[in-house]
Amino acid sequence: MKVKWLDKYCNICGKQLNSWDVRLSKTLAYKIPVCEKCIAKEYDMEVDSLRSRMENFFGMRPCQGI
């Protein structure tokens, strides 16, 4: 699956969201989509650690090109 940029923006930092950000937000039950960087910051993690945790717990991998 390749990354798809969407016409949506992070509710916290204003960065344009992609399909991975939206999948991640839905999995973590965010009501409004938030970017991966802001999610990692909220959980006090590095982005790579968050990706690893998502893969280990949920079997989710980020889209190619991220």
Side-chain angles (χ1 to χ4, degrees):
M1 180 183 254
K2 289 190 176 183
V3 66
K4 179 180 176 184
W5 291 98
L6 307 173
D7 192 26
K8 297 180 180 181
Y9 297 87
C10 178
N11 192 45
I12 297 171
C13 71
K15 177 184 164 195
Q16 186 175 10
L17 298 176
N18 58 47
S19 52
W20 169 248
D21 296 323
V22 172
R23 281 179 57 209
L24 191 57
S25 293
K26 284 182 182 180
T27 300
L28 297 173
Y30 281 78
K31 292 182 190 262
I32 300 172
V34 177
C35 74
E36 176 183 47
K37 188 175 180 179
C38 288
I39 291 172
K41 186 176 180 180
E42 182 175 335
Y43 286 98
D44 196 28
M45 301 173 79
E46 296 293 325
V47 170
D48 289 335
S49 298
L50 176 64
R51 288 179 183 177
S52 178
R53 182 156 298 179
M54 294 307 293
E55 185 171 355
N56 291 336
F57 286 131
F58 296 105
M60 291 177 57
R61 293 181 137 182
C63 307
Q64 291 180 1
I66 293 184

